[in-house]
């Protein structure tokens, strides 16, 4: 794993790693097939598929590596797939999480604004977002991304 990512995790600072994993080896048809009645739909072409584990093996492998390297306090790990069929589709907006989040770009571009700095995540990139840090995602293009959350169960002060 990238030594700068490890340092950023220890310092609790956001960090973008370009091309850390293979980009998503799946066409849009396979992604759309993942959109089911269990998928959360925002109504404007944006979807969240909770617990996508097992569908994209290289994402599962990356999650296992992150879990081993950065074990969370609760031991809980989540993998969600975010799909935006349109540029500018709705996201969760500015928010913070109780998990350390590792966002993996699959297809397209997602911009995150964190502490005034903008990060653009593309296929194969990983963005580390420390728990309790506000971030604002924006779909710049139709996109697919994966959020691997290592849960800690509460916000740090």
């Amino acid at each position: 794993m990238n030594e700068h990512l490890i340092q950023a995790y220890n310092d609790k600072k956001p960090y973008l790693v370009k091309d850390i994993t293979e980009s998503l080896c799946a066409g849009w048809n396979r992604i759309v097939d993942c959109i089911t009645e269990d998928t959360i739909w925002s109504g404007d072409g944006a979807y969240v598929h909770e617990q996508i584990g097992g569908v994209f093996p290289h994402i599962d492998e990356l999650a296992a590596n992150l879990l081993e390297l950065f074990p969370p306090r609760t031991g809980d790990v989540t993998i969600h797939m975010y799909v935006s069929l349109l540029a500018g589709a709705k996201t969760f907006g500015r928010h913070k999480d109780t998990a350390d989040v590792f966002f993996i770009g699959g297809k397209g571009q997602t911009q995150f604004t964190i502490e005034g700095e903008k990060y653009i995540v593309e296929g194969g990139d990983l963005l580390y977002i420390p728990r309790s840090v506000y971030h604002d995602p924006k779909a710049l293009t139709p996109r697919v991304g994966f959020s691997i959350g290592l849960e800690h169960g509460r916000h740090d002060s």
Side-chain angles (χ1 to χ4, degrees):
M1 192 63 59
N2 182 296
E3 67 184 60
H4 298 291
L5 176 60
I6 294 169
Q7 188 61 51
Y9 178 87
N10 290 334
D11 294 342
K12 298 298 177 204
K13 299 289 184 190
Y15 187 72
L16 177 64
V17 182
K18 301 300 278 182
D19 296 317
I20 196 169
T21 186
E22 64 183 277
S23 52
L24 187 60
C25 295
W28 280 104
N29 287 340
R30 181 162 178 222
I31 294 161
V32 170
D33 285 346
C34 292
I35 300 172
T36 67
E37 59 194 40
D38 297 325
T39 305
I40 300 167
W41 179 49
S42 73
D44 67 351
Y47 301 85
V48 178
H49 193 301
E50 296 183 327
Q51 297 302 329
I52 195 74
V55 178
F56 301 99
H58 72 288
I59 300 297
D60 293 338
E61 182 180 332
L62 184 55
N65 291 339
L66 291 168
L67 179 60
E68 185 176 318
L69 192 58
F70 309 117
R73 187 179 65 79
T74 67
D76 296 327
V77 178
T78 59
I79 303 174
H80 297 116
M81 181 175 72
Y82 293 86
V83 178
S84 299
L85 300 178
L86 305 168
K90 187 176 180 179
T91 67
F92 284 124
R94 185 176 183 269
H95 68 283
K96 62 182 178 177
D97 297 295
T98 57
D100 283 311
V101 173
F102 297 84
F103 187 86
I104 313 300
K107 287 184 175 291
Q109 294 180 328
T110 306
Q111 175 183 285
F112 288 84
T113 303
I114 306 171
E115 299 173 340
E117 189 166 346
K118 295 186 185 314
Y119 301 86
I120 296 179
V121 179
E122 301 175 295
D125 296 349
L126 177 149
L127 176 63
Y128 166 61
I129 306 168
R131 65 185 173 272
S132 302
V133 171
Y134 280 99
H135 52 283
D136 189 4
K138 180 180 180 184
L140 297 180
T141 66
R143 57 89 186 225
V144 176
F146 299 89
S147 173
I148 300 172
L150 305 181
E151 187 60 58
H152 291 269
R154 62 179 167 73
H155 287 293
D156 295 339
S157 300

